[in-house]
Amino acid sequence: MAPTDIEGSSRWALDEAEAKRLQKEARQFKGESLWTDARRRLRRNRTASFAMWFLVMFGGTSVLAPLLPLPSPKALSLRDDAAPPEWPWAEPAPLPKPPAKGTAATKATRNLWNNGWRHRTTLVVDAADTAALERAASWAADLTGRAPVVEVHAAGSGGLEGYLSVPMLRDDVPRVDYAELSDGGSVNTWDVAASEGRDAFSVISLSLIDAEGESFDPALVSAAQADVRGRRLRVLLSRATSVEGRAAWLVEAELRNGLAHPVDVILVGGRIVSEGPGLTDAARSGEQSARARLSEGIEHADLGRRAAASLAAAPIDGVRYAGTSYEDGYWPFTGLVGALDDLLIEARIAIFGSWQTGNWMGTDSKGRDLMSRIVWGSRTSILVALIASACSLLIGVLYGAFSGFVGGRVDNLMMRIVDILYSIPFIFVVIFLITMVQGLAEARPDLEIDRELVFFLVIGAIYWLTMARVVRGQVLSLKNTEFIEAARVMGASTLRILLTHVVPNVLSIVIVYLTLTIPAIMLFEAFLSFLGLGVEPPKVSWGLLAVDGTQVINPIKSYWWLVVFPALAMGSTLLALNVLGDGLRDALDPKMRGRS
Amino acid sequence: MLRFLFRRLVWLAITLLVVMSVSFFLMKNVPGGPFDGERKLDAQIEANIQKKYHLDWPLWRQFAHYVGPFNLDDERALLASGDGGLVLWRSELAEGEPTTAFGGVLAGDFGPSFRYKDFTVNDILAQSLPISMLLGVLSMMFAIALGVSAGIASALRPGSGIDLSLRLAATAGIALPNFVIASFLVIVLVFMLPLLPVAGWGTIRHMLLPGFCLGLVFAAYIARLTRTGMLETLSADYIRTAHAKGLSSRTVVMRHALKGGLLPVVSYLGPATAGILTGSLVIERIFFIPGTGSHFINAATNRDYTLAMGVTILFTVLVYVLNTVVDMAYTLLDPRIDLEDE
């Protein structure tokens, strides 16, 4: 540059190339966003990233629980004592012999071997030897369209007693789709059967149940039809012939309130206007047994009947049909999660067949496998934590943001309310509330209070306080920052300011507090379970497992595995969550940026 | 200071009113009372019971009687008449019968227990509260002693093995529920090395294990807070000055750094008290200690509503008062904070 150009514009004058280079450089320069920075810092924090991987793996295990070849979390064994852990390579301890046939070989004892798949129909056959059992297995596969799982448990006097377990999924369970039944509140019994014609069904029982739950004499049905509001009509229908592919041989329909003319096809005396059998005394006993069979699920998918009929028609050498039993699955999820679980169970059967892990962590005092209980219990604990923290998130963020935005007197009052709530020892109030809700649910079953939902909501409702404070503080300080003002000066709309400046800043701190709230809620769940106010058996949660562990402590025999393994699972997860929360706070706190 | 106390008092009154009325009206609206047994009671007996516990009164009067401060009981009241209404003065008291003008929670009377016949809630509280208090104080002492010394130890050598192991222990202490820790300790200290009795209450040896288990979580928190506070204080200028004056490091830490470093701990004492009360529910149940916590759990599950409400109210007041005391102590320790600032 020439020395004569010292003054004037020359100092800023750039030649063409220089200007282009600078422009290009400026264009290429990208600011680092909060999140990239946070991710970088989190990755550098070794313990926190380890905790994160640990949590991801643990969450994956818990979601994929139906896929894992674990024993059932609820299947009892005949051992009357907790068994210590066994090494993975150890030969599994032989199960005690089931009762001899014809003595006490009841369905209940057979179900002790249920392996905990979602829904299971077990065909029991007596087989003369292994070859006969194999023949029986292929017969069962043909019959059901599913590969059966063959279990041989004991040699009876005449041969083997084999269990052909045919895992069935939810779709096979008799189910009534209420949407099909309801016709704008005006439904009659024949609407149920209308799709296939009334001849396809026969009515087994029809009873009107009044509010007190006393069953109503069907003979009086026509007299009562004028006043059916608030009552429930219960219809048990049976198919005249079983339908292939349709599981519901027996359908129970409950038509709820608001029936306009529900009983117009019933005549006085309980006789039905059709060819169907009336409710004579004989029919009534038939109804009873049908009802019993329905609740026991023997007629599930009509499998038992079909199996017996098929075997009678074409006997297999050395195989005798002994019975069918059905058991509900452990985890009655419905909807999307249930569908996923079904898929996972199918996958498990395809991959592992009947193989399952031994009692690597021992069993509890009822003989249930501890490892399986821990994995399945994690689902409950995670669910509690997620729902409750979502609840606290919703209340806390809305409350805090509103308080912060409005400011002034309203803010002052709202924060004072939070202060008051802070100073109440909440546990007492919560226990008080939960016991009262429990009492209400017992006394008024018609209200259909979902105790667990209340439990989630109550927990969520007390953990919002910190969240509200934090969010309010953040919003308050953000409202007056320069960068928001600058954005406003530059003409950004309120929405843009909210979305690009306020939300990310609040979000980071919300995430941090969420990671710290979740372990607190899990601890609280454990605490309530310990006091007997939490999740109810047969569901499992980590709190219940820890409680089981503490209850068997005695000086005579130490069941250390019942204490150690649940505590390890719980402790490591909570530890990881705490570490991750701390790490996230370090990573996301703008004040910590630049320092390391 | 007076203004601050007055304001706290007003908020306490509001808090109490909310707690009392919410729990009272909830309790009254829940079907099924403490007297529902297996057998249905005779109508006359039921009426008598209702009369004895004033369940036949209109709701507002039950509430007013429960809250106080005036006793509305017909027998000895100053302010009542028989048919549910009120008159200002009852002159027709029998000769020599004592008149109790005041009653209800505001007069310190929590009413009769529904389940423990012949006991009032006050009797039960008077029996059990000292036990819980003793346990609470003991565990608080454990927590402070253990937490502060661990915190100082790790703050003096940050990054050392001691620091890391203490921090890990503290995080584990926070992450594990106290009943799990308690059961570990019972297995080790009672069954494996028979040093301490399993459960019960009475001698010092009975108190050690429960107190320790209860205090452990709070020790962990206090250790964390002490460490952070001490680290911050130790890097302050006045500490460097003290070192430069040639004071021994022991004096510097004990006399100069500790005061500043413990400030966060002091503000934590309020929540810690509430936490210890909460934790005592579990610990008392594990070790079979007849304290207020176990009475509360029994009362809640047995629907002994007056007892449950009494404990709730008492503990609310206790926590509130302790929080206020802690706040006041905080201003004494740290002159920069002004109570009027609220």
Side-chain angles (χ1 to χ4, degrees):
Chain A
M1 224 167 268
T4 48
D5 283 346
I6 280 180
E7 52 181 326
S9 62
S10 63
R11 191 171 170 206
W12 303 103
L14 298 165
D15 58 58
E16 198 84 340
E18 189 86 341
K20 267 207 174 138
R21 190 182 61 78
L22 279 178
Q23 269 179 353
K24 201 177 164 195
E25 216 166 74
R27 227 175 281 130
Q28 272 177 349
F29 180 79
K30 266 197 185 136
E32 196 184 30
S33 81
L34 180 72
W35 298 103
T36 17
D37 180 44
R39 202 178 309 144
R40 191 166 46 78
R41 296 164 67 88
L42 194 64
R43 205 173 295 150
R44 208 180 293 152
N45 186 343
R46 282 225 306 274
T47 36
S49 40
F50 178 72
M52 196 165 75
W53 284 116
F54 177 81
L55 286 173
V56 166
M57 273 175 52
F58 219 99
T61 315
S62 138
V63 169
L64 296 181
L67 179 66
L68 305 174
L70 295 168
S72 161
K74 72 167 199 177
L76 310 173
S77 82
L78 289 182
R79 296 190 193 96
D80 53 355
D81 196 12
E86 55 194 26
W87 296 109
W89 54 84
E91 195 69 17
L95 282 169
K97 283 184 182 182
K101 282 193 302 279
T103 54
T106 59
K107 193 171 79 65
T109 45
R110 282 196 203 111
N111 275 344
L112 293 178
W113 279 276
N114 172 38
N115 58 10
W117 287 326
R118 171 173 298 268
H119 297 292
R120 193 171 92 142
T121 302
T122 306
L123 287 176
V124 187
V125 297
D126 293 338
D129 48 29
T130 343
L133 200 60
E134 271 165 23
R135 286 196 294 279
S138 70
W139 158 74
D142 287 346
L143 187 73
T144 59
R146 286 177 201 283
V149 175
V150 184
E151 299 170 35
V152 185
H153 285 299
S157 56
L160 300 169
E161 185 170 67
Y163 290 77
L164 302 173
S165 326
V166 184
M168 286 295 172
L169 304 184
R170 189 196 343 276
D171 289 345
D172 305 319
V173 177
R175 184 171 61 173
V176 175
D177 193 348
Y178 287 107
E180 264 178 34
L181 301 181
S182 137
D183 178 19
S186 140
V187 177
N188 67 50
T189 46
W190 294 117
D191 283 343
V192 181
S195 56
E196 293 171 64
R198 47 173 80 173
D199 295 342
F201 289 89
S202 55
V203 176
I204 288 183
S205 105
L206 190 149
S207 53
L208 205 56
I209 302 165
D210 63 14
E212 273 74 45
E214 286 168 24
S215 96
F216 198 87
D217 185 359
L220 300 174
V221 163
S222 67
Q225 60 181 306
D227 179 26
V228 290
R229 280 209 165 265
R231 295 168 180 230
R232 296 195 306 175
L233 185 69
R234 167 179 272 228
V235 190
L236 269 178
L237 299 169
S238 79
R239 283 185 188 279
T241 53
S242 77
V243 179
E244 200 64 41
R246 283 289 295 265
W249 175 73
L250 201 70
V251 175
E252 187 179 17
E254 281 182 339
L255 309 176
R256 287 171 188 271
N257 308 339
L259 304 179
H261 45 89
V263 285
D264 51 357
V265 291
I266 306 293
L267 280 187
V268 183
R271 280 218 151 309
I272 301 166
V273 192
S274 77
E275 299 79 47
L279 289 167
T280 59
D281 283 344
R284 187 159 296 186
S285 74
E287 170 216 330
Q288 266 180 4
S289 70
R291 207 178 270 218
R293 279 183 300 175
L294 179 76
S295 62
E296 286 174 5
I298 291 176
E299 301 299 345
H300 170 219
D302 206 17
L303 194 61
R305 244 169 37 136
R306 274 163 50 208
S310 145
L311 215 52
I316 303 173
D317 194 25
V319 174
R320 196 165 60 84
Y321 176 70
T324 313
S325 68
Y326 165 75
E327 196 174 353
D328 265 328
Y330 163 68
W331 192 256
F333 266 131
T334 51
L336 218 58
V337 185
L340 176 72
D341 284 1
D342 285 348
L343 273 181
L344 290 175
I345 291 170
E346 292 274 24
R348 169 189 164 151
I349 296 163
I351 298 171
F352 297 104
S354 70
W355 185 79
Q356 61 184 27
T357 60
N359 298 323
W360 294 347
M361 292 187 185
T363 67
D364 70 358
S365 56
K366 295 193 177 73
R368 296 172 291 199
D369 180 60
L370 190 60
M371 187 161 73
S372 168
R373 280 172 78 74
I374 288 176
V375 171
W376 283 89
S378 71
R379 288 189 144 204
T380 317
S381 294
I382 289 176
L383 200 70
V384 171
L386 286 186
I387 292 182
S389 53
C391 199
S392 78
L393 183 74
L394 192 73
I395 304 177
V397 169
L398 285 181
Y399 193 93
F402 182 78
S403 181
F405 269 122
V406 174
R409 261 171 199 286
V410 178
D411 176 38
N412 202 8
L413 183 74
M414 285 173 82
M415 281 302 117
R416 210 28 65 91
I417 291 173
V418 169
D419 283 350
I420 290 187
L421 293 179
Y422 248 120
S423 61
I424 297 175
F426 249 106
I427 187 86
F428 294 91
V429 181
V430 165
I431 290 174
F432 201 47
L433 271 181
I434 287 182
T435 48
M436 273 196 291
V437 166
Q438 217 168 329
L440 193 66
E442 276 164 22
R444 299 277 304 278
D446 55 309
L447 289 180
E448 292 181 9
I449 296 172
D450 188 350
R451 203 184 125 212
E452 270 166 31
L453 194 67
V454 172
F455 174 72
F456 294 149
L457 291 183
V458 164
I459 296 183
I462 61 170
Y463 276 98
W464 62 272
L465 294 171
T466 318
M467 188 68 84
R469 273 191 174 176
V470 166
V471 169
R472 177 239 179 202
Q474 190 74 3
V475 167
L476 213 56
S477 65
L478 278 176
K479 226 170 44 168
N480 300 319
T481 46
E482 282 97 355
F483 71 91
I484 294 225
E485 236 161 73
R488 195 162 286 144
V489 168
M490 284 161 82
S493 68
T494 317
L495 191 71
R496 194 187 147 78
I497 291 177
L498 264 175
L499 288 183
T500 60
H501 298 297
V502 178
V503 168
N505 279 292
V506 176
L507 202 62
S508 61
I509 208 156
V510 163
I511 286 176
V512 168
Y513 273 88
L514 215 54
T515 24
L516 296 176
T517 307
I518 288 174
I521 289 175
M522 287 172 116
L523 269 185
F524 194 68
E525 186 270 328
F527 180 80
L528 286 182
S529 293
F530 180 83
L531 300 175
L533 299 168
V535 176
E536 272 175 301
K539 281 199 177 167
V540 196
S541 78
W542 283 353
L544 274 182
L545 289 178
V547 173
D548 282 351
T550 57
Q551 276 169 352
V552 294
I553 293 175
N554 65 59
I556 300 157
K557 189 171 178 197
S558 118
Y559 298 94
W560 56 270
W561 57 95
L562 289 181
V563 180
V564 169
F565 290 117
L568 265 183
M570 198 168 185
S572 54
T573 307
L574 295 182
L575 198 69
L577 276 167
N578 275 315
V579 168
L580 181 65
D582 287 347
L584 276 177
R585 180 164 49 197
D586 291 350
L588 284 169
D589 192 345
K591 273 188 287 181
M592 295 288 286
R593 293 179 87 178
R595 282 195 278 153
S596 194
Chain B
M1 185 62 100
L2 271 180
R3 213 178 103 106
F4 165 78
L5 278 181
F6 178 74
R7 265 163 63 172
R8 278 295 171 104
L9 208 66
V10 169
W11 283 113
L12 173 63
I14 295 173
T15 311
L16 267 187
L17 199 70
V18 170
V19 170
M20 270 195 292
S21 38
V22 166
S23 42
F24 185 87
F25 287 105
L26 262 177
M27 166 184 119
K28 291 292 170 191
N29 280 316
V30 172
F35 308 112
D36 294 351
E38 305 268 306
R39 222 150 42 94
K40 198 153 173 65
L41 288 174
D42 190 58
Q44 185 58 45
I45 297 174
E46 205 170 330
N48 284 343
I49 288 178
Q50 295 235 332
K51 197 162 166 18
K52 185 184 171 200
Y53 293 105
H54 306 306
L55 299 176
D56 50 344
W57 284 0
L59 210 56
W60 65 268
R61 191 171 162 191
Q62 288 183 41
F63 185 61
H65 180 67
Y66 183 77
V67 172
F70 296 108
N71 181 12
L72 304 184
D73 201 322
D74 282 329
E75 302 287 322
R76 289 168 296 158
L78 209 55
L79 255 182
S81 79
D83 50 357
L86 286 183
V87 293
L88 273 183
W89 184 256
R90 266 163 58 89
S91 52
E92 62 271 22
L93 274 176
E95 196 66 32
E97 202 175 320
T99 316
T100 323
F102 297 105
V105 171
L106 288 184
D109 177 11
F110 290 108
S113 161
F114 282 177
R115 277 289 164 125
Y116 299 98
K117 306 275 151 57
D118 304 327
F119 280 96
T120 64
V121 174
N122 288 32
D123 292 339
I124 295 170
L125 289 182
Q127 277 178 16
S128 62
L129 197 60
I131 297 175
S132 291
M133 283 295 187
L134 192 60
L135 181 64
V137 169
L138 194 72
S139 58
M140 196 57 130
M141 275 158 48
F142 268 127
I144 293 176
L146 218 76
V148 169
S149 40
I152 293 175
S154 59
L156 287 183
R157 285 187 189 77
S160 68
I162 296 179
D163 179 32
L164 285 181
S165 47
L166 281 176
R167 273 166 70 193
L168 191 68
T171 321
I174 292 170
L176 279 176
N178 55 5
F179 56 88
V180 172
I181 296 176
S183 38
F184 272 121
L185 288 179
V186 166
I187 288 181
V188 174
L189 290 181
V190 178
F191 296 143
M192 289 170 75
L193 322 161
L195 296 176
L196 294 168
V198 186
W201 193 250
T203 64
I204 273 286
R205 292 181 65 231
H206 284 110
M207 299 173 196
L208 287 177
L209 203 50
F212 182 75
C213 294
L214 186 50
L216 209 57
V217 181
F218 306 100
Y221 269 110
I222 288 176
R224 259 188 171 188
L225 290 172
T226 314
R227 181 177 178 275
T228 329
M230 284 298 279
L231 276 181
E232 216 158 90
T233 326
L234 282 175
S235 61
D237 287 341
Y238 71 92
I239 297 295
R240 204 177 305 152
T241 316
H243 277 298
K245 281 200 302 186
L247 294 178
S248 72
S249 54
R250 185 194 155 90
T251 324
V252 173
V253 171
M254 286 307 182
R255 182 152 313 157
H256 296 271
L258 203 55
K259 195 178 166 191
L262 284 187
L263 273 181
V265 177
V266 173
S267 67
Y268 175 67
L269 288 183
T273 321
I276 279 185
L277 287 180
T278 307
S280 70
L281 293 185
V282 165
I283 292 293
E284 284 178 12
R285 194 147 161 157
I286 290 182
F287 293 99
F288 298 101
I289 298 169
T292 316
S294 34
H295 277 301
F296 176 77
I297 299 292
N298 287 339
T301 44
N302 288 333
R303 301 189 189 170
D304 190 345
Y305 292 132
T306 43
L307 183 52
M309 273 172 75
V311 175
T312 309
I313 291 168
L314 184 75
F315 280 3
T316 308
V317 175
L318 216 60
V319 169
Y320 201 92
V321 168
L322 281 170
N323 268 329
T324 310
V325 170
V326 163
D327 282 354
M328 279 159 55
Y330 203 59
T331 53
L332 292 183
L333 283 176
D334 189 353
R336 285 170 299 180
I337 291 179
D338 190 4
L339 284 179
E340 307 294 333
D341 273 354
E342 277 207 42

